[in-house]
Amino acid sequence: MRNLLSLLCCFFLLNIHAQQPEKLNASEIFQKIKKLNFLGSVLYIGAHPDDENTRLISYFSNEKNARTAYLSLTRGDGGQNLIGSELREQLGVIRTQELLAARRIDGGEQFFTRANDFGYSKTPVETLKIWDKEKVLADMVWIIRNFKPDIIINRFDHRTPGTTHGHHTSSALLSLEAFEAAANPAKFHEQLEFTKPHQSKRVYFNTSPWFYGGQEAFEEANKNQFISFDTGTYFPLLGLSNPEISSLSRSQHQSQGFGSTGSRGSQMEYLEPIKGDTLRSQNVFKNIDTSWNKLEGGKAIGEILTQVEKDFNFKDPAASLPKLLEAYTLIQKLPNKHWREQKTKEIKDIIYASAGLFLEAVASRASATPQDSVQVKLEAINRSDFPISLNSVELSPNNTKTHPQINLKNNTAWHSEVSLKIPKNTPYTTPYWLKETANNGMYIVKDQQLRGLPETPELSKSLFQLDFNGLSLTFERPIVYKFNDPVFGETYQAFEVIPEVSISFEDEIVIFENAEPKKISVKLTSGKANVQGEVSLSAGEGWTIKPEEQKFQLQQKGSTQIHSFQVIPPKNQNETFISPTALVNGKEFSEKLITIDYKHIPKQNLVTPSKLKVARLEIEKKGKLLGYIEGAGDVVPESLEQIGYSVEKLNAASISASSLEKYDAIVLGIRALNTLKDLKFKQQILFDYVKSGGNLIVQYNTSRGLVTNKIAPFPLELSRDRVTDETAEVRFLAENHPVLNFPNKITKNDFDNWVQERGLYFPDSWSEEFTPILSMQDENESPKNGSLLVAQYGEGYFIYTGLSFFRQFPAGVAGAYRLFANMISIGK
């Protein structure tokens, strides 16, 4: 875990040095020694990335020196993305890395369950119908049994279902069940092959003014049942307060737009005892032994490390090595496996830093394929006078080993180079939870020991075996790729194992608006030099692909070729998936390699099955040229091009009355009125465009944070109304309205196969100029009639819709395309 003195450096270097090895100074080493002497732990539990209270995590980790972790039940796959077009699984990868970036700053650790964030849920009943409750509970029990927290803190209140996201309440309800089940050997007994039952001491609810509707109501509330403490601690060596650290951590959630400004001064936190020992004490560890004395054989270790802390020499940390090595030897004899393993890891990090060690294995390339060979440069240096020798270095996964058998003299570097051959069956580098196709509510992870982990464990690594004056210690370091960036200098990336050839389509979906053939292209990318073979496509019944196969030859690693096939759809409406196959030396490849590369997180590679959804739709449309003003990011423009429209993306700041005249319709992207400040000054231009005969389609915006209150040319107010059940019945309020009849006849069938939700943030109040078109509702709720509102204004039409077209288009939902075409075509 990062400690305080590395936080500021970490924050500024995180963007360009995400894989950079940790290098601790003397003050940082001292902070780790203090943490080594504290044997207490806290597990904070929420539902999503960004749910966590970073102020509290930082406080427990850095002020109290407790081992602290955040358990997010999901990876945030169902949210929106403010920095790019990635959604669903790819967004989950981004938000996973954002959480890890946050933990590097606030000092916590990170865990997840297999629960898939399927989107907004109104109640825990609905949530737990979609999630597999027993599997999510099992994962929580597994994490508790392995992390072994003394204290569990819930972000949400289990007693208020229906008042917040159903995922939120579910996290609290399941936490209370997991608290009991983790201690019961009869529950999830199959886990006991790898771990042991654990009984946490107590569970708290982290309440705040948010749960009372505001600060004023919270101040008036009876707080006798709460414990409170000030987390506004100031750390002089860093020059930052705990709330400032917290804001740096929270600001890593960039895809959600959660940049946070730091604060200073007192910051009170409130915990309500919920379960277990409900002792009300300002010290949450009251009556919990957090010293070495709690362990059999721990007393002597505690005495040694207390002396190390007392005598620590900031000018010469290596002076502590004899005592640290003595304590290390005693830790290896502890009967308690959990604390033996945890404290071994911690003290090894301290020994490494105190000796000024630097151990590194750098691959000559950023990636390699199975059965490929790569050169690895090794470096080892001891920057202390303590006698240390390097006995061996072993590389994994093929156990290449070298035996230097040399003394590492103070500040004299040892260098060597070895060849690493990647074994034939080495798995590709990809997020472990995406290796199997997920269902709607759960990811599939068959390996019990992977469950809960934030990311895939390093497969490519180096093991440096060193001798410290007769005591053997092994240090594990990942094999990395390192290069010099002309601007940023030394830059690190993870070393990846990738396929020999990857295959990708230009689009996720291709729409056939009629029975005419279309050209479908696939891009082949070589993972190594000299790859040749044949590529072919296959599809469902009724679809014809020509030619049957094409030969390819890729000379250089990373080189690409594009091969085009003619795809002839069936005459009637139909949809299928097209799958590619590249045959190379008798081996089939059908994966695509996706790279996610943002400055605030490490570069991520995903290797997933390549497929293209194709849909033959029966669709008519009027108009040709559209203008699109992008909001928070979606693929609606590309989707509309699929059905034959020409779409030009517009800069909101540059639009004028004359520049809009040529367009048959203008479409505002999702949350455009939340994210584009220029629209505050451009709304009247857009309204005048409508008045002169244009069609303006405004997609959903959130009710909070609007850049203007004048959403429409007539009064209209947004709410938080939404329909989360994607199968909810849709009723036609204006059955004869043109938007349901021209040029496509919209029927109830057009609302089949919708994904994740019907829509969100519907208006709940509008003037008589608007015609509500549709009515829908979730179970046990009143009808919601604001999902699609149409108003004629002058010669044109203004349309506001909260329907989630941005989710339906990538899924190829035929009815969504047909309805949107009608919205564009109205009045034409």
Side-chain angles (χ1 to χ4, degrees), residues 528-705:
K528 59 182 293 186
N530 300 318
V531 177
Q532 58 184 340
E534 299 86 36
V535 61
S536 60
L537 304 182
S538 61
E541 186 177 351
W543 294 78
T544 303
I545 300 175
K546 297 179 179 179
E548 291 186 0
E549 64 180 30
Q550 297 184 46
K551 294 185 180 299
F552 68 88
Q553 186 170 7
L554 301 167
Q555 299 287 352
Q556 303 295 326
K557 175 181 171 67
S559 60
T560 63
Q561 280 185 9
I562 295 177
H563 291 261
S564 297
F565 294 80
Q566 185 185 57
V567 177
I568 305 169
K571 293 183 178 180
N572 299 320
Q573 187 159 304
N574 184 280
E575 59 184 54
T576 188
F577 285 98
I578 293 179
S579 299
T581 300
L583 186 64
V584 179
N585 294 326
K587 184 176 180 180
E588 293 184 348
F589 295 89
S590 58
E591 299 90 359
K592 62 180 175 180
L593 177 63
I594 300 170
T595 298
I596 299 175
D597 195 5
Y598 290 99
K599 290 184 179 180
H600 68 300
I601 59 174
K603 182 179 177 181
Q604 300 293 300
N605 275 353
L606 288 75
V607 180
T608 62
S610 183
K611 61 181 180 179
L612 171 70
K613 185 171 185 179
V614 289
R616 160 73 172 96
L617 303 186
E618 295 174 353
I619 185 170
E620 299 288 339
K621 62 185 189 300
K622 297 295 181 181
K624 179 66 177 176
L625 182 61
L626 309 180
Y628 198 90
I629 301 174
E630 292 185 287
D634 56 57
V635 294
V636 172
E638 294 79 5
S639 300
L640 295 175
E641 288 176 338
Q642 290 273 7
I643 57 173
Y645 287 107
S646 295
V647 183
E648 295 181 358
K649 295 182 180 180
L650 308 179
N651 184 339
S654 302
I655 62 173
S656 63
S658 60
S659 70
L660 300 183
E661 291 177 354
K662 63 179 180 178
Y663 297 107
D664 295 304
I666 302 294
V667 182
L668 266 61
I670 61 173
R671 295 174 67 177
L673 293 172
N674 297 120
T675 60
L676 302 179
K677 293 181 180 179
D678 290 316
L679 285 179
K680 178 179 181 179
F681 311 104
K682 299 293 184 176
Q683 282 292 80
Q684 191 57 50
I685 293 174
L686 291 171
F687 297 158
D688 290 345
Y689 161 79
V690 178
K691 195 172 185 178
S692 299
N695 290 343
L696 176 61
I697 300 170
V698 180
Q699 298 180 85
Y700 100 91
N701 295 273
T702 61
S703 54
R704 296 180 183 176

Side-chain angles (χ1 to χ4, degrees), residues 275-326:
K275 203 162 190 177
D277 175 2
T278 56
L279 177 71
R280 288 183 173 85
S281 169
Q282 305 304 105
N283 177 14
V284 299
F285 289 103
K286 181 75 172 179
N287 295 340
I288 299 174
D289 189 354
T290 58
S291 73
W292 282 98
N293 293 333
K294 71 189 293 181
L295 301 179
E296 179 185 344
K299 185 175 184 296
I301 299 171
E303 290 173 351
I304 294 170
L305 293 177
T306 298
Q307 196 65 39
V308 169
E309 186 175 334
K310 180 181 177 182
D311 297 339
F312 186 75
N313 186 336
F314 285 83
K315 292 185 178 181
D316 183 18
S320 297
L321 282 173
K323 289 293 184 183
L324 288 170
L325 293 167
E326 184 182 351

Side-chain angles (χ1 to χ4, degrees), residues 95-152:
R95 298 190 72 188
T96 294
Q97 291 300 320
E98 288 178 338
L99 273 177
L100 289 170
R103 298 295 81 79
R104 283 191 287 269
I105 289 174
D106 59 37
E109 299 176 49
Q110 185 62 52
F111 300 108
F112 297 94
T113 74
R114 287 169 287 170
N116 190 323
D117 180 1
F118 55 83
Y120 193 86
S121 174
K122 293 181 178 178
T123 68
V125 173
E126 179 189 27
T127 296
L128 297 176
K129 280 182 180 178
I130 297 174
W131 288 349
D132 187 322
K133 177 188 172 183
E134 283 300 296
K135 289 181 180 177
V136 178
L137 179 61
D139 288 354
M140 297 176 76
V141 167
W142 170 254
I143 291 162
I144 291 172
R145 285 173 172 173
N146 285 288
F147 186 72
K148 301 192 184 304
D150 298 300
I151 304 299
I152 294 174

Side-chain angles (χ1 to χ4, degrees), residues 51 53 84 90 154 205 221 225 278 385 602 619 623 683 760 814 817:
D51 281 346
N53 183 339
Q90 292 183 45
N154 288 340
F205 162 48
Q225 70 272 34
T278 56
D385 288 325
I619 185 170
Q683 282 292 80
L760 61 170
Y817 280 95

